[in-house]
Amino acid sequence: MTKDFGEFPPSPLTANSPGADFNIVNVGALGARYFTLTRSFRALNQDAADANDPSAAHIIKAFSEIKKGISSSALSFLVAYNALRLYQKILFILLIFIFLPFMLIFFIGFLVRMVFGILRVPVIGTEALGFFCPTTQIQLEIVAKPVEIKRAKINYQSVVSHEHIHLLQYLASAGNPDLRMDVGFQSRVRALVRENVSQEEAAYYLSPYEIEARLHEVVLSFYRESNILPIDYDAFITMINSSGFLGDFY
């Protein structure tokens, strides 16, 4: 916030700094895929009770049950093997050596399929110049794509500022059902937008989180140009009417 306004809080507000430490992760094409895979696996290994999203908690529980099932099967196998007589153990080991080539072929095939499956995992924020992903936030992180930002001729700090608002929204109201894009919200979007407009895109831009983040950009641009912070209705309308003063947008 201090970088955004040059001071915090901007006059005439009096407020404490949010005080949330976070990292900015700069990625390219390969880096975005690496980020997706590493953060997804890290999120899956956390406790379901710590998940900030019900869907994520459900996936984590399912993944945990799979791991428990594998561990239980391996333990049962060891118990059964230890219960065998010596000649049975020898026969079992001989059978393993006989079928080892087939097992290797199966393992290599499984490994290849797993690699291709991983490569097909959707990359977080594919079409975005930066993003904040709530479901991966074990450690607070904002992701930016400097090369794509430069190619789009958008100010890097504007992207970081926008995503920082999403981070603050996450800290202030994560799990608030009033801000979720529920069925009622989707129906209101369908009633509002024209038929030739993408419903998914419209729902994204009209979501409360996104409107708040973009309103921050408008206020920030106006403040940088005029050193005035709108704090009432009349000042807000003045800001909107002064759109010629507005600067970079993301």
Side-chain angles (χ1 to χ4, degrees), residues 205-242:
Y205 285 114
L206 293 174
S207 68
Y209 283 132
E210 196 61 27
I211 288 177
E212 187 176 47
R214 292 177 185 273
L215 181 59
H216 168 76
E217 295 180 46
V218 175
V219 172
L220 178 58
S221 295
F222 181 76
Y223 182 83
R224 286 173 174 172
E225 291 293 335
S226 64
N227 202 34
I228 297 173
L229 190 70
I231 58 173
D232 56 32
Y233 176 79
D234 290 336
F236 179 80
I237 295 301
T238 299
M239 177 191 70
I240 297 300
N241 290 334
S242 303

PDB file of all heavy atoms in Angstrom, residues 205-242:
ATOM      1  N   TYR A 205     -15.509 -10.476 -14.407  1.00  0.00           N
ATOM      2  CA  TYR A 205     -15.345  -9.034 -14.253  1.00  0.00           C
ATOM      3  C   TYR A 205     -16.368  -8.413 -13.308  1.00  0.00           C
ATOM      4  O   TYR A 205     -16.120  -7.362 -12.725  1.00  0.00           O
ATOM      5  CB  TYR A 205     -15.411  -8.345 -15.615  1.00  0.00           C
ATOM      6  CG  TYR A 205     -14.162  -8.523 -16.438  1.00  0.00           C
ATOM      7  CD1 TYR A 205     -14.177  -9.252 -17.623  1.00  0.00           C
ATOM      8  CD2 TYR A 205     -12.951  -7.969 -16.029  1.00  0.00           C
ATOM      9  CE1 TYR A 205     -13.027  -9.431 -18.375  1.00  0.00           C
ATOM     10  CE2 TYR A 205     -11.793  -8.132 -16.768  1.00  0.00           C
ATOM     11  CZ  TYR A 205     -11.838  -8.871 -17.940  1.00  0.00           C
ATOM     12  OH  TYR A 205     -10.699  -9.053 -18.671  1.00  0.00           O
ATOM     13  N   LEU A 206     -17.526  -9.053 -13.154  1.00  0.00           N
ATOM     14  CA  LEU A 206     -18.576  -8.501 -12.297  1.00  0.00           C
ATOM     15  C   LEU A 206     -18.562  -9.079 -10.886  1.00  0.00           C
ATOM     16  O   LEU A 206     -19.404  -8.712 -10.061  1.00  0.00           O
ATOM     17  CB  LEU A 206     -19.952  -8.750 -12.932  1.00  0.00           C
ATOM     18  CG  LEU A 206     -20.229  -7.992 -14.232  1.00  0.00           C
ATOM     19  CD1 LEU A 206     -21.557  -8.424 -14.833  1.00  0.00           C
ATOM     20  CD2 LEU A 206     -20.208  -6.484 -14.002  1.00  0.00           C
ATOM     21  N   SER A 207     -17.644  -9.992 -10.611  1.00  0.00           N
ATOM     22  CA  SER A 207     -17.571 -10.547  -9.263  1.00  0.00           C
ATOM     23  C   SER A 207     -17.165  -9.456  -8.271  1.00  0.00           C
ATOM     24  O   SER A 207     -16.408  -8.542  -8.610  1.00  0.00           O
ATOM     25  CB  SER A 207     -16.556 -11.695  -9.218  1.00  0.00           C
ATOM     26  OG  SER A 207     -15.240 -11.206  -9.407  1.00  0.00           O
ATOM     27  N   PRO A 208     -17.673  -9.504  -7.056  1.00  0.00           N
ATOM     28  CA  PRO A 208     -17.345  -8.466  -6.060  1.00  0.00           C
ATOM     29  C   PRO A 208     -15.846  -8.293  -5.839  1.00  0.00           C
ATOM     30  O   PRO A 208     -15.362  -7.166  -5.680  1.00  0.00           O
ATOM     31  CB  PRO A 208     -18.046  -8.981  -4.790  1.00  0.00           C
ATOM     32  CG  PRO A 208     -19.178  -9.796  -5.295  1.00  0.00           C
ATOM     33  CD  PRO A 208     -18.676 -10.454  -6.547  1.00  0.00           C
ATOM     34  N   TYR A 209     -15.101  -9.416  -5.834  1.00  0.00           N
ATOM     35  CA  TYR A 209     -13.653  -9.327  -5.626  1.00  0.00           C
ATOM     36  C   TYR A 209     -12.991  -8.528  -6.749  1.00  0.00           C
ATOM     37  O   TYR A 209     -12.124  -7.683  -6.506  1.00  0.00           O
ATOM     38  CB  TYR A 209     -13.041 -10.727  -5.578  1.00  0.00           C
ATOM     39  CG  TYR A 209     -13.258 -11.464  -4.282  1.00  0.00           C
ATOM     40  CD1 TYR A 209     -13.707 -12.782  -4.276  1.00  0.00           C
ATOM     41  CD2 TYR A 209     -13.008 -10.848  -3.058  1.00  0.00           C
ATOM     42  CE1 TYR A 209     -13.899 -13.473  -3.086  1.00  0.00           C
ATOM     43  CE2 TYR A 209     -13.201 -11.521  -1.861  1.00  0.00           C
ATOM     44  CZ  TYR A 209     -13.648 -12.838  -1.890  1.00  0.00           C
ATOM     45  OH  TYR A 209     -13.843 -13.514  -0.713  1.00  0.00           O
ATOM     46  N   GLU A 210     -13.392  -8.813  -7.988  1.00  0.00           N
ATOM     47  CA  GLU A 210     -12.740  -8.160  -9.122  1.00  0.00           C
ATOM     48  C   GLU A 210     -13.143  -6.703  -9.242  1.00  0.00           C
ATOM     49  O   GLU A 210     -12.315  -5.836  -9.551  1.00  0.00           O
ATOM     50  CB  GLU A 210     -13.083  -8.914 -10.418  1.00  0.00           C
ATOM     51  CG  GLU A 210     -12.170  -8.582 -11.586  1.00  0.00           C
ATOM     52  CD  GLU A 210     -10.720  -8.940 -11.329  1.00  0.00           C
ATOM     53  OE1 GLU A 210     -10.456  -9.869 -10.529  1.00  0.00           O
ATOM     54  OE2 GLU A 210      -9.831  -8.281 -11.924  1.00  0.00           O
ATOM     55  N   ILE A 211     -14.405  -6.402  -8.974  1.00  0.00           N
ATOM     56  CA  ILE A 211     -14.846  -5.002  -8.996  1.00  0.00           C
ATOM     57  C   ILE A 211     -14.089  -4.183  -7.958  1.00  0.00           C
ATOM     58  O   ILE A 211     -13.638  -3.066  -8.219  1.00  0.00           O
ATOM     59  CB  ILE A 211     -16.371  -4.915  -8.755  1.00  0.00           C
ATOM     60  CG1 ILE A 211     -17.126  -5.428  -9.988  1.00  0.00           C
ATOM     61  CG2 ILE A 211     -16.784  -3.473  -8.434  1.00  0.00           C
ATOM     62  CD1 ILE A 211     -18.623  -5.454  -9.819  1.00  0.00           C
ATOM     63  N   GLU A 212     -13.912  -4.760  -6.768  1.00  0.00           N
ATOM     64  CA  GLU A 212     -13.196  -4.044  -5.710  1.00  0.00           C
ATOM     65  C   GLU A 212     -11.750  -3.789  -6.101  1.00  0.00           C
ATOM     66  O   GLU A 212     -11.212  -2.696  -5.881  1.00  0.00           O
ATOM     67  CB  GLU A 212     -13.257  -4.851  -4.418  1.00  0.00           C
ATOM     68  CG  GLU A 212     -12.684  -4.106  -3.220  1.00  0.00           C
ATOM     69  CD  GLU A 212     -12.847  -4.891  -1.937  1.00  0.00           C
ATOM     70  OE1 GLU A 212     -12.536  -6.102  -1.924  1.00  0.00           O
ATOM     71  OE2 GLU A 212     -13.275  -4.291  -0.939  1.00  0.00           O
ATOM     72  N   ALA A 213     -11.095  -4.798  -6.717  1.00  0.00           N
ATOM     73  CA  ALA A 213      -9.696  -4.648  -7.107  1.00  0.00           C
ATOM     74  C   ALA A 213      -9.539  -3.590  -8.198  1.00  0.00           C
ATOM     75  O   ALA A 213      -8.612  -2.778  -8.171  1.00  0.00           O
ATOM     76  CB  ALA A 213      -9.139  -5.988  -7.591  1.00  0.00           C
ATOM     77  N   ARG A 214     -10.463  -3.572  -9.145  1.00  0.00           N
ATOM     78  CA  ARG A 214     -10.369  -2.602 -10.241  1.00  0.00           C
ATOM     79  C   ARG A 214     -10.775  -1.207  -9.780  1.00  0.00           C
ATOM     80  O   ARG A 214     -10.260  -0.203 -10.291  1.00  0.00           O
ATOM     81  CB  ARG A 214     -11.194  -3.079 -11.435  1.00  0.00           C
ATOM     82  CG  ARG A 214     -10.567  -4.315 -12.067  1.00  0.00           C
ATOM     83  CD  ARG A 214     -11.336  -4.902 -13.219  1.00  0.00           C
ATOM     84  NE  ARG A 214     -10.687  -6.139 -13.642  1.00  0.00           N
ATOM     85  CZ  ARG A 214      -9.689  -6.216 -14.512  1.00  0.00           C
ATOM     86  NH1 ARG A 214      -9.209  -5.107 -15.066  1.00  0.00           N
ATOM     87  NH2 ARG A 214      -9.145  -7.380 -14.830  1.00  0.00           N
ATOM     88  N   LEU A 215     -11.673  -1.134  -8.823  1.00  0.00           N
ATOM     89  CA  LEU A 215     -12.006   0.171  -8.242  1.00  0.00           C
ATOM     90  C   LEU A 215     -10.788   0.738  -7.514  1.00  0.00           C
ATOM     91  O   LEU A 215     -10.544   1.954  -7.550  1.00  0.00           O
ATOM     92  CB  LEU A 215     -13.190   0.035  -7.285  1.00  0.00           C
ATOM     93  CG  LEU A 215     -13.667   1.333  -6.613  1.00  0.00           C
ATOM     94  CD1 LEU A 215     -14.080   2.361  -7.660  1.00  0.00           C
ATOM     95  CD2 LEU A 215     -14.833   1.040  -5.669  1.00  0.00           C
ATOM     96  N   HIS A 216     -10.024  -0.121  -6.884  1.00  0.00           N
ATOM     97  CA  HIS A 216      -8.777   0.317  -6.244  1.00  0.00           C
ATOM     98  C   HIS A 216      -7.850   0.950  -7.277  1.00  0.00           C
ATOM     99  O   HIS A 216      -7.211   1.976  -7.009  1.00  0.00           O
ATOM    100  CB  HIS A 216      -8.091  -0.870  -5.574  1.00  0.00           C
ATOM    101  CG  HIS A 216      -6.678  -0.589  -5.146  1.00  0.00           C
ATOM    102  ND1 HIS A 216      -6.357   0.162  -4.039  1.00  0.00           N
ATOM    103  CD2 HIS A 216      -5.491  -0.952  -5.712  1.00  0.00           C
ATOM    104  CE1 HIS A 216      -5.043   0.255  -3.913  1.00  0.00           C
ATOM    105  NE2 HIS A 216      -4.497  -0.413  -4.918  1.00  0.00           N
ATOM    106  N   GLU A 217      -7.769   0.346  -8.474  1.00  0.00           N
ATOM    107  CA  GLU A 217      -6.920   0.896  -9.526  1.00  0.00           C
ATOM    108  C   GLU A 217      -7.389   2.291  -9.934  1.00  0.00           C
ATOM    109  O   GLU A 217      -6.574   3.198 -10.148  1.00  0.00           O
ATOM    110  CB  GLU A 217      -6.938  -0.027 -10.743  1.00  0.00           C
ATOM    111  CG  GLU A 217      -6.323  -1.396 -10.508  1.00  0.00           C
ATOM    112  CD  GLU A 217      -6.370  -2.244 -11.767  1.00  0.00           C
ATOM    113  OE1 GLU A 217      -6.024  -1.727 -12.846  1.00  0.00           O
ATOM    114  OE2 GLU A 217      -6.743  -3.424 -11.679  1.00  0.00           O
ATOM    115  N   VAL A 218      -8.720   2.461 -10.035  1.00  0.00           N
ATOM    116  CA  VAL A 218      -9.264   3.761 -10.411  1.00  0.00           C
ATOM    117  C   VAL A 218      -8.932   4.804  -9.347  1.00  0.00           C
ATOM    118  O   VAL A 218      -8.449   5.896  -9.651  1.00  0.00           O
ATOM    119  CB  VAL A 218     -10.797   3.664 -10.606  1.00  0.00           C
ATOM    120  CG1 VAL A 218     -11.391   5.050 -10.870  1.00  0.00           C
ATOM    121  CG2 VAL A 218     -11.140   2.724 -11.752  1.00  0.00           C
ATOM    122  N   VAL A 219      -9.175   4.450  -8.089  1.00  0.00           N
ATOM    123  CA  VAL A 219      -8.885   5.376  -6.987  1.00  0.00           C
ATOM    124  C   VAL A 219      -7.400   5.703  -6.938  1.00  0.00           C
ATOM    125  O   VAL A 219      -7.005   6.867  -6.757  1.00  0.00           O
ATOM    126  CB  VAL A 219      -9.349   4.767  -5.641  1.00  0.00           C
ATOM    127  CG1 VAL A 219      -8.875   5.628  -4.471  1.00  0.00           C
ATOM    128  CG2 VAL A 219     -10.858   4.620  -5.612  1.00  0.00           C
ATOM    129  N   LEU A 220      -6.569   4.688  -7.108  1.00  0.00           N
ATOM    130  CA  LEU A 220      -5.125   4.891  -7.043  1.00  0.00           C
ATOM    131  C   LEU A 220      -4.642   5.811  -8.159  1.00  0.00           C
ATOM    132  O   LEU A 220      -3.839   6.725  -7.923  1.00  0.00           O
ATOM    133  CB  LEU A 220      -4.421   3.533  -7.128  1.00  0.00           C
ATOM    134  CG  LEU A 220      -2.889   3.547  -7.120  1.00  0.00           C
ATOM    135  CD1 LEU A 220      -2.367   4.223  -5.860  1.00  0.00           C
ATOM    136  CD2 LEU A 220      -2.350   2.115  -7.220  1.00  0.00           C
ATOM    137  N   SER A 221      -5.125   5.579  -9.379  1.00  0.00           N
ATOM    138  CA  SER A 221      -4.717   6.425 -10.501  1.00  0.00           C
ATOM    139  C   SER A 221      -5.142   7.877 -10.282  1.00  0.00           C
ATOM    140  O   SER A 221      -4.380   8.811 -10.548  1.00  0.00           O
ATOM    141  CB  SER A 221      -5.321   5.893 -11.804  1.00  0.00           C
ATOM    142  OG  SER A 221      -4.813   4.625 -12.116  1.00  0.00           O
ATOM    143  N   PHE A 222      -6.364   8.053  -9.784  1.00  0.00           N
ATOM    144  CA  PHE A 222      -6.864   9.404  -9.511  1.00  0.00           C
ATOM    145  C   PHE A 222      -6.037  10.075  -8.416  1.00  0.00           C
ATOM    146  O   PHE A 222      -5.698  11.263  -8.515  1.00  0.00           O
ATOM    147  CB  PHE A 222      -8.334   9.329  -9.100  1.00  0.00           C
ATOM    148  CG  PHE A 222      -8.958  10.667  -8.816  1.00  0.00           C
ATOM    149  CD1 PHE A 222      -9.313  11.517  -9.849  1.00  0.00           C
ATOM    150  CD2 PHE A 222      -9.191  11.067  -7.510  1.00  0.00           C
ATOM    151  CE1 PHE A 222      -9.890  12.755  -9.585  1.00  0.00           C
ATOM    152  CE2 PHE A 222      -9.763  12.295  -7.235  1.00  0.00           C
ATOM    153  CZ  PHE A 222     -10.118  13.149  -8.279  1.00  0.00           C
ATOM    154  N   TYR A 223      -5.696   9.317  -7.377  1.00  0.00           N
ATOM    155  CA  TYR A 223      -4.932   9.861  -6.263  1.00  0.00           C
ATOM    156  C   TYR A 223      -3.533  10.283  -6.719  1.00  0.00           C
ATOM    157  O   TYR A 223      -3.016  11.330  -6.305  1.00  0.00           O
ATOM    158  CB  TYR A 223      -4.832   8.824  -5.147  1.00  0.00           C
ATOM    159  CG  TYR A 223      -4.087   9.305  -3.918  1.00  0.00           C
ATOM    160  CD1 TYR A 223      -4.733  10.062  -2.943  1.00  0.00           C
ATOM    161  CD2 TYR A 223      -2.737   9.015  -3.741  1.00  0.00           C
ATOM    162  CE1 TYR A 223      -4.054  10.521  -1.820  1.00  0.00           C
ATOM    163  CE2 TYR A 223      -2.057   9.459  -2.628  1.00  0.00           C
ATOM    164  CZ  TYR A 223      -2.704  10.220  -1.663  1.00  0.00           C
ATOM    165  OH  TYR A 223      -2.030  10.658  -0.565  1.00  0.00           O
ATOM    166  N   ARG A 224      -2.916   9.464  -7.581  1.00  0.00           N
ATOM    167  CA  ARG A 224      -1.577   9.791  -8.059  1.00  0.00           C
ATOM    168  C   ARG A 224      -1.572  11.071  -8.886  1.00  0.00           C
ATOM    169  O   ARG A 224      -0.596  11.834  -8.857  1.00  0.00           O
ATOM    170  CB  ARG A 224      -1.027   8.630  -8.895  1.00  0.00           C
ATOM    171  CG  ARG A 224      -0.601   7.432  -8.058  1.00  0.00           C
ATOM    172  CD  ARG A 224      -0.227   6.264  -8.944  1.00  0.00           C
ATOM    173  NE  ARG A 224       0.324   5.155  -8.166  1.00  0.00           N
ATOM    174  CZ  ARG A 224       0.587   3.958  -8.675  1.00  0.00           C
ATOM    175  NH1 ARG A 224       0.358   3.705  -9.963  1.00  0.00           N
ATOM    176  NH2 ARG A 224       1.086   3.002  -7.907  1.00  0.00           N
ATOM    177  N   GLU A 225      -2.648  11.316  -9.622  1.00  0.00           N
ATOM    178  CA  GLU A 225      -2.716  12.498 -10.475  1.00  0.00           C
ATOM    179  C   GLU A 225      -3.130  13.748  -9.700  1.00  0.00           C
ATOM    180  O   GLU A 225      -2.642  14.838  -9.971  1.00  0.00           O
ATOM    181  CB  GLU A 225      -3.705  12.254 -11.619  1.00  0.00           C
ATOM    182  CG  GLU A 225      -3.246  11.227 -12.648  1.00  0.00           C
ATOM    183  CD  GLU A 225      -2.052  11.710 -13.445  1.00  0.00           C
ATOM    184  OE1 GLU A 225      -1.865  12.939 -13.558  1.00  0.00           O
ATOM    185  OE2 GLU A 225      -1.298  10.854 -13.956  1.00  0.00           O
ATOM    186  N   SER A 226      -4.040  13.583  -8.740  1.00  0.00           N
ATOM    187  CA  SER A 226      -4.623  14.764  -8.081  1.00  0.00           C
ATOM    188  C   SER A 226      -4.251  14.904  -6.617  1.00  0.00           C
ATOM    189  O   SER A 226      -4.513  15.940  -6.004  1.00  0.00           O
ATOM    190  CB  SER A 226      -6.149  14.709  -8.185  1.00  0.00           C
ATOM    191  OG  SER A 226      -6.639  13.570  -7.473  1.00  0.00           O
ATOM    192  N   ASN A 227      -3.674  13.839  -6.032  1.00  0.00           N
ATOM    193  CA  ASN A 227      -3.363  13.799  -4.605  1.00  0.00           C
ATOM    194  C   ASN A 227      -4.632  13.995  -3.754  1.00  0.00           C
ATOM    195  O   ASN A 227      -4.582  14.550  -2.663  1.00  0.00           O
ATOM    196  CB  ASN A 227      -2.327  14.867  -4.232  1.00  0.00           C
ATOM    197  CG  ASN A 227      -1.604  14.514  -2.936  1.00  0.00           C
ATOM    198  OD1 ASN A 227      -1.374  13.340  -2.645  1.00  0.00           O
ATOM    199  ND2 ASN A 227      -1.267  15.525  -2.151  1.00  0.00           N
ATOM    200  N   ILE A 228      -5.766  13.545  -4.312  1.00  0.00           N
ATOM    201  CA  ILE A 228      -7.050  13.626  -3.612  1.00  0.00           C
ATOM    202  C   ILE A 228      -7.621  12.227  -3.494  1.00  0.00           C
ATOM    203  O   ILE A 228      -7.677  11.486  -4.475  1.00  0.00           O
ATOM    204  CB  ILE A 228      -8.046  14.533  -4.366  1.00  0.00           C
ATOM    205  CG1 ILE A 228      -7.518  15.970  -4.440  1.00  0.00           C
ATOM    206  CG2 ILE A 228      -9.421  14.498  -3.692  1.00  0.00           C
ATOM    207  CD1 ILE A 228      -8.368  16.878  -5.315  1.00  0.00           C
ATOM    208  N   LEU A 229      -8.058  11.877  -2.306  1.00  0.00           N
ATOM    209  CA  LEU A 229      -8.673  10.575  -2.081  1.00  0.00           C
ATOM    210  C   LEU A 229     -10.170  10.768  -1.892  1.00  0.00           C
ATOM    211  O   LEU A 229     -10.591  11.413  -0.934  1.00  0.00           O
ATOM    212  CB  LEU A 229      -8.071   9.910  -0.846  1.00  0.00           C
ATOM    213  CG  LEU A 229      -8.450   8.447  -0.626  1.00  0.00           C
ATOM    214  CD1 LEU A 229      -7.788   7.555  -1.673  1.00  0.00           C
ATOM    215  CD2 LEU A 229      -8.036   7.995   0.766  1.00  0.00           C
ATOM    216  N   PRO A 230     -11.002  10.233  -2.790  1.00  0.00           N
ATOM    217  CA  PRO A 230     -12.459  10.409  -2.635  1.00  0.00           C
ATOM    218  C   PRO A 230     -12.974   9.629  -1.428  1.00  0.00           C
ATOM    219  O   PRO A 230     -12.786   8.412  -1.336  1.00  0.00           O
ATOM    220  CB  PRO A 230     -13.013   9.829  -3.944  1.00  0.00           C
ATOM    221  CG  PRO A 230     -11.963   8.896  -4.443  1.00  0.00           C
ATOM    222  CD  PRO A 230     -10.654   9.456  -3.986  1.00  0.00           C
ATOM    223  N   ILE A 231     -13.628  10.325  -0.507  1.00  0.00           N
ATOM    224  CA  ILE A 231     -14.112   9.663   0.710  1.00  0.00           C
ATOM    225  C   ILE A 231     -15.617   9.810   0.892  1.00  0.00           C
ATOM    226  O   ILE A 231     -16.156   9.359   1.898  1.00  0.00           O
ATOM    227  CB  ILE A 231     -13.384  10.207   1.961  1.00  0.00           C
ATOM    228  CG1 ILE A 231     -13.585  11.715   2.087  1.00  0.00           C
ATOM    229  CG2 ILE A 231     -11.910   9.846   1.932  1.00  0.00           C
ATOM    230  CD1 ILE A 231     -13.048  12.297   3.377  1.00  0.00           C
ATOM    231  N   ASP A 232     -16.307  10.459  -0.073  1.00  0.00           N
ATOM    232  CA  ASP A 232     -17.762  10.526  -0.010  1.00  0.00           C
ATOM    233  C   ASP A 232     -18.326  10.406  -1.424  1.00  0.00           C
ATOM    234  O   ASP A 232     -17.591  10.315  -2.408  1.00  0.00           O
ATOM    235  CB  ASP A 232     -18.241  11.817   0.675  1.00  0.00           C
ATOM    236  CG  ASP A 232     -17.685  13.073   0.010  1.00  0.00           C
ATOM    237  OD1 ASP A 232     -17.471  13.047  -1.225  1.00  0.00           O
ATOM    238  OD2 ASP A 232     -17.474  14.067   0.720  1.00  0.00           O
ATOM    239  N   TYR A 233     -19.663  10.425  -1.533  1.00  0.00           N
ATOM    240  CA  TYR A 233     -20.324  10.187  -2.824  1.00  0.00           C
ATOM    241  C   TYR A 233     -19.937  11.245  -3.857  1.00  0.00           C
ATOM    242  O   TYR A 233     -19.598  10.921  -5.004  1.00  0.00           O
ATOM    243  CB  TYR A 233     -21.836  10.178  -2.626  1.00  0.00           C
ATOM    244  CG  TYR A 233     -22.611  10.043  -3.916  1.00  0.00           C
ATOM    245  CD1 TYR A 233     -22.771   8.800  -4.533  1.00  0.00           C
ATOM    246  CD2 TYR A 233     -23.187  11.174  -4.506  1.00  0.00           C
ATOM    247  CE1 TYR A 233     -23.478   8.689  -5.728  1.00  0.00           C
ATOM    248  CE2 TYR A 233     -23.900  11.060  -5.694  1.00  0.00           C
ATOM    249  CZ  TYR A 233     -24.043   9.818  -6.303  1.00  0.00           C
ATOM    250  OH  TYR A 233     -24.729   9.712  -7.480  1.00  0.00           O
ATOM    251  N   ASP A 234     -19.974  12.503  -3.459  1.00  0.00           N
ATOM    252  CA  ASP A 234     -19.682  13.582  -4.411  1.00  0.00           C
ATOM    253  C   ASP A 234     -18.247  13.478  -4.927  1.00  0.00           C
ATOM    254  O   ASP A 234     -17.989  13.664  -6.123  1.00  0.00           O
ATOM    255  CB  ASP A 234     -19.895  14.949  -3.744  1.00  0.00           C
ATOM    256  CG  ASP A 234     -21.367  15.228  -3.483  1.00  0.00           C
ATOM    257  OD1 ASP A 234     -22.211  14.632  -4.187  1.00  0.00           O
ATOM    258  OD2 ASP A 234     -21.671  16.027  -2.559  1.00  0.00           O
ATOM    259  N   ALA A 235     -17.311  13.169  -4.029  1.00  0.00           N
ATOM    260  CA  ALA A 235     -15.908  13.038  -4.437  1.00  0.00           C
ATOM    261  C   ALA A 235     -15.717  11.837  -5.362  1.00  0.00           C
ATOM    262  O   ALA A 235     -14.921  11.871  -6.300  1.00  0.00           O
ATOM    263  CB  ALA A 235     -15.016  12.904  -3.206  1.00  0.00           C
ATOM    264  N   PHE A 236     -16.487  10.781  -5.091  1.00  0.00           N
ATOM    265  CA  PHE A 236     -16.402   9.583  -5.938  1.00  0.00           C
ATOM    266  C   PHE A 236     -16.893   9.892  -7.355  1.00  0.00           C
ATOM    267  O   PHE A 236     -16.256   9.503  -8.343  1.00  0.00           O
ATOM    268  CB  PHE A 236     -17.225   8.457  -5.316  1.00  0.00           C
ATOM    269  CG  PHE A 236     -17.220   7.187  -6.121  1.00  0.00           C
ATOM    270  CD1 PHE A 236     -16.146   6.305  -6.048  1.00  0.00           C
ATOM    271  CD2 PHE A 236     -18.283   6.886  -6.960  1.00  0.00           C
ATOM    272  CE1 PHE A 236     -16.136   5.140  -6.806  1.00  0.00           C
ATOM    273  CE2 PHE A 236     -18.285   5.719  -7.716  1.00  0.00           C
ATOM    274  CZ  PHE A 236     -17.206   4.844  -7.638  1.00  0.00           C
ATOM    275  N   ILE A 237     -18.028  10.611  -7.459  1.00  0.00           N
ATOM    276  CA  ILE A 237     -18.561  10.983  -8.770  1.00  0.00           C
ATOM    277  C   ILE A 237     -17.583  11.904  -9.494  1.00  0.00           C
ATOM    278  O   ILE A 237     -17.372  11.793 -10.713  1.00  0.00           O
ATOM    279  CB  ILE A 237     -19.944  11.665  -8.624  1.00  0.00           C
ATOM    280  CG1 ILE A 237     -20.957  10.667  -8.057  1.00  0.00           C
ATOM    281  CG2 ILE A 237     -20.420  12.199  -9.973  1.00  0.00           C
ATOM    282  CD1 ILE A 237     -21.148   9.421  -8.900  1.00  0.00           C
ATOM    283  N   THR A 238     -16.952  12.798  -8.770  1.00  0.00           N
ATOM    284  CA  THR A 238     -15.943  13.678  -9.362  1.00  0.00           C
ATOM    285  C   THR A 238     -14.791  12.858  -9.938  1.00  0.00           C
ATOM    286  O   THR A 238     -14.297  13.136 -11.038  1.00  0.00           O
ATOM    287  CB  THR A 238     -15.406  14.661  -8.314  1.00  0.00           C
ATOM    288  OG1 THR A 238     -16.477  15.473  -7.823  1.00  0.00           O
ATOM    289  CG2 THR A 238     -14.322  15.553  -8.902  1.00  0.00           C
ATOM    290  N   MET A 239     -14.376  11.862  -9.198  1.00  0.00           N
ATOM    291  CA  MET A 239     -13.295  10.990  -9.664  1.00  0.00           C
ATOM    292  C   MET A 239     -13.688  10.280 -10.961  1.00  0.00           C
ATOM    293  O   MET A 239     -12.919  10.242 -11.926  1.00  0.00           O
ATOM    294  CB  MET A 239     -12.948   9.957  -8.589  1.00  0.00           C
ATOM    295  CG  MET A 239     -11.882   8.970  -9.008  1.00  0.00           C
ATOM    296  SD  MET A 239     -11.723   7.581  -7.848  1.00  0.00           S
ATOM    297  CE  MET A 239     -13.268   6.695  -8.152  1.00  0.00           C
ATOM    298  N   ILE A 240     -14.905   9.725 -11.003  1.00  0.00           N
ATOM    299  CA  ILE A 240     -15.365   9.009 -12.193  1.00  0.00           C
ATOM    300  C   ILE A 240     -15.450   9.949 -13.394  1.00  0.00           C
ATOM    301  O   ILE A 240     -15.068   9.599 -14.510  1.00  0.00           O
ATOM    302  CB  ILE A 240     -16.728   8.340 -11.936  1.00  0.00           C
ATOM    303  CG1 ILE A 240     -16.605   7.278 -10.832  1.00  0.00           C
ATOM    304  CG2 ILE A 240     -17.274   7.719 -13.215  1.00  0.00           C
ATOM    305  CD1 ILE A 240     -15.641   6.159 -11.146  1.00  0.00           C
ATOM    306  N   ASN A 241     -15.940  11.161 -13.154  1.00  0.00           N
ATOM    307  CA  ASN A 241     -16.050  12.138 -14.241  1.00  0.00           C
ATOM    308  C   ASN A 241     -14.692  12.636 -14.713  1.00  0.00           C
ATOM    309  O   ASN A 241     -14.583  13.216 -15.797  1.00  0.00           O
ATOM    310  CB  ASN A 241     -16.901  13.332 -13.797  1.00  0.00           C
ATOM    311  CG  ASN A 241     -18.364  12.963 -13.650  1.00  0.00           C
ATOM    312  OD1 ASN A 241     -18.844  12.034 -14.303  1.00  0.00           O
ATOM    313  ND2 ASN A 241     -19.083  13.685 -12.798  1.00  0.00           N
ATOM    314  N   SER A 242     -13.676  12.439 -13.884  1.00  0.00           N
ATOM    315  CA  SER A 242     -12.322  12.887 -14.241  1.00  0.00           C
ATOM    316  C   SER A 242     -11.524  11.728 -14.842  1.00  0.00           C
ATOM    317  O   SER A 242     -10.334  11.601 -14.598  1.00  0.00           O
ATOM    318  CB  SER A 242     -11.606  13.422 -13.000  1.00  0.00           C
ATOM    319  OG  SER A 242     -12.336  14.461 -12.412  1.00  0.00           O
TER     320      SER A 242
END
